[in-house]
Amino acid sequence: MKSNPVYKRETTVRSRSLRMPLVIFAFNGVLALAALLNMYQTVAQVRSSSTIQYSTFLDLYAFVATLEFLLLMFIMPALTSGSISGERERQTLELLFTTKMSPSEIIMGKLFSAVEQLLVLVVSSLPIVLLTFVYGSVDFRDLGLLLVCFTIVAFYAGGIGILFSALLRRSTFSNVCTYGVLLFIVVGTYMLNIFLLNMDQIQISNMILQPGMERPVADTGVAVWTLLLNPVATFAEILGNQVSGGASFISIRSYFGDNTGSFLAKYWIPISLAVQSAVSLVIIRSAVYCLNPVKNEKK
């Protein structure tokens, strides 16, 4: 990737700007302030009751992880949805096509530059996240799984943005379509499962059971598979297992009914991460195809 001219240009321009250091300073300043307030609250509690609630340190970990996840979900599409369409608007995309760079190099250079920009924020906040290690709340395996989730989400959300940027000529339309699709994936899949779960609960409550029969547990059927595409469901499951022992308030286990011991429910996190990785590859490949000037000439 270091030999990619687009990637080198994007990183060089960003490194010469004061915006990125200021963003890192502000982002970590907010996290550090939250960490100091959390520790001050813990110390005050120890002085008053001589007891330590270790759950407060997990709350700090959950707060930092959730803030970073929301950062990836909402800022990553904004960085990529105007990357190609912006070149069209500035009338510089044709100049890129006159070079020896292929469409895949242009797409990957733009995408990796945006992913790197946000992962720098995530890595810079690790000292604050590692404050919880002092009290033994989480371990390095939990932190590694969280970083893997962040990386996959960055490529997933960034890939959707760069696909619409390659498809559409205007950055405004690209932004709207990108956030619309993400909203459908995140909110739409949850609302579908909640609706089907409520409908199944109504049907079960109206059932007339024979003596000795147990009332079944409501589920959403095959609709639960749509949550494999939902990065929020994956993140909530990871954070729920690490912080609350799987008792997340949006845990996907409530949609499985009696099938909580199935293979999908048992290995939900690795399966969902694998599915989202595969979808990201398809999306990026589609963006490369849409940007191919030879294909556009044939059309």
Side-chain angles (χ1 to χ4, degrees):
M1 188 55 61
K2 291 183 178 181
S3 60
N4 189 306
V6 175
Y7 175 80
K8 291 175 64 176
R9 175 188 175 277
E10 295 288 335
T11 53
T12 301
V13 171
R14 186 173 63 248
S15 64
R16 292 176 179 176
S17 174
L18 288 176
R19 185 179 65 177
M20 191 61 185
L22 291 176
V23 170
I24 293 175
F25 175 79
F27 178 70
N28 287 283
V30 172
L31 296 183
L33 179 62
L36 291 175
L37 291 177
N38 181 276
M39 297 183 71
Y40 177 80
Q41 177 185 359
T42 304
V43 172
Q45 182 183 13
V46 171
R47 290 176 178 176
S48 61
S49 61
S50 300
T51 58
I52 299 178
Q53 289 187 358
Y54 287 96
S55 60
T56 57
F57 302 110
L58 288 175
D59 293 339
L60 172 62
Y61 173 79
F63 172 78
V64 175
T66 303
L67 186 61
E68 291 177 346
F69 178 80
L70 293 177
L71 181 76
L72 290 173
M73 282 293 296
F74 289 102
I75 297 183
M76 189 64 198
L79 294 176
T80 57
S81 59
S83 56
I84 303 300
S85 56
E87 296 286 349
R88 287 196 183 98
E89 293 172 346
R90 294 188 297 270
Q91 299 181 353
T92 55
L93 184 61
E94 298 298 330
L95 294 177
L96 291 177
F97 287 150
T98 60
T99 64
K100 295 182 180 180
M101 289 187 298
S102 63
S104 61
E105 290 178 323
I106 298 175
I107 292 292
M108 298 306 292
K110 294 285 188 179
L111 181 60
F112 272 88
S113 174
V115 170
E116 181 193 55
Q117 186 172 352
L118 284 187
L119 289 183
V120 166
L121 289 177
V122 173
V123 173
S124 67
S125 66
L126 284 181
I128 302 174
V129 177
L130 293 177
L131 287 175
T132 57
F133 281 64
V134 177
Y135 305 95
S137 303
V138 292
D139 55 23
F140 283 104
R141 183 176 59 181
D142 295 332
L143 183 61
L145 181 59
L146 193 67
L147 291 178
V148 169
C149 177
F150 286 164
T151 304
I152 292 176
V153 169
F155 280 101
Y156 189 38
I160 295 175
I162 207 165
L163 172 61
F164 282 107
S165 183
L167 277 172
L168 304 176
R169 293 185 175 275
R170 296 296 180 185
S171 299
T172 304
F173 297 153
S174 177
N175 276 313
V176 171
C177 291
T178 300
Y179 283 104
V181 169
L182 282 175
L183 187 65
F184 174 77
I185 292 174
V186 173
V187 179
T189 54
Y190 262 120
M191 294 303 297
L192 173 64
N193 281 270
I194 291 174
F195 172 77
L196 293 177
L197 184 65
N198 291 334
M199 294 299 295
D200 198 36
Q201 288 174 346
I202 294 174
Q203 292 180 358
I204 291 175
S205 62
N206 294 331
M207 290 176 58
I208 300 176
L209 301 178
Q210 299 296 329
M213 292 180 59
E214 294 184 359
R215 192 174 296 275
V217 181
D219 60 46
T220 60
V222 296
V224 73
W225 287 76
T226 60
L227 291 175
L228 290 172
L229 299 174
N230 193 330
V232 174
T234 305
F235 172 75
E237 198 68 16
I238 292 175
L239 198 62
N241 291 337
Q242 295 178 356
V243 175
S244 56
S248 173
F249 70 100
I250 52 175
S251 175
I252 53 93
R253 296 185 182 275
S254 58
Y255 303 118
F256 279 95
D258 293 325
N259 299 320
T260 53
S262 64
F263 180 82
L264 179 61
K266 188 176 181 181
Y267 298 100
W268 176 268
I269 293 175
I271 292 175
S272 61
L273 290 176
V275 169
Q276 292 167 25
S277 300
V279 172
S280 300
L281 292 176
V282 173
I283 291 173
I284 295 171
R285 182 59 184 171
S286 300
V288 173
Y289 176 78
C290 293
L291 191 63
N292 193 342
V294 176
K295 183 267 301 180
N296 293 331
E297 289 179 0
K298 291 181 179 179
K299 289 182 69 175

